[in-house]
Amino acid sequence: MSISMSDAAAQRVQTFLANRGKGYGLRLGVRTSGCSGMAYVLEFVDAPNEDDVVFEDKGVRVIVDGKSLAYLDGTQLDFVKEGLNEGIKFNNPNMTSECGCGESFNV
């Protein structure tokens, strides 16, 4: 089981955590949403929960709850800039399809 980050994503998350002034790491999860069924959830956390799995890559902790891990195993987070837009891109090997707007996916 693994979750990894590109250099660009790790640097971006480290910058946000430093600006925030506190934080244990970045929580990655999924929730039921959108036209394809599931959507990614990202949030900063100050402490992991008992049932969380913690991955560390390039100095950043990524926290995943046990239920989400089945859908996220092997995912790499990347930070991309496309024109005026920038954000985290999810390279998820478990994804079988995604909606046209890119907001949700299916496994």
Side-chain angles (χ1 to χ4, degrees):
M1 300 254 170
S2 70
I3 304 292
S4 62
M5 303 184 89
S6 70
D7 290 339
Q11 183 177 20
R12 188 67 170 185
V13 172
Q14 288 170 338
T15 299
F16 271 107
L17 283 170
N19 290 341
R20 188 172 180 254
K22 65 178 181 174
Y24 180 81
L26 181 70
R27 177 176 300 282
L28 171 62
V30 295
R31 63 180 166 84
T32 303
S33 178
C35 48
S36 288
M38 306 187 98
Y40 296 105
V41 177
L42 284 175
E43 63 184 357
F44 293 106
V45 295
D46 296 327
N49 297 325
E50 279 187 29
D51 61 338
D52 286 339
V53 179
V54 179
F55 300 93
E56 188 164 341
D57 189 28
K58 297 175 181 64
V60 176
R61 290 184 198 101
V62 180
I63 301 99
V64 181
D65 66 90
K67 292 179 183 177
S68 295
L69 189 55
Y71 304 106
L72 297 170
D73 184 31
T75 297
Q76 182 194 43
L77 282 69
D78 192 12
F79 178 73
V80 295
K81 291 184 178 184
E82 296 173 351
L84 297 175
N85 297 321
E86 62 181 39
I88 297 291
K89 179 180 178 184
F90 304 92
N91 298 313
N92 185 344
N94 305 300
M95 183 178 70
T96 57
S97 64
E98 65 182 329
C99 68
C101 65
E103 293 295 319
S104 62
F105 69 98
N106 195 3
V107 291

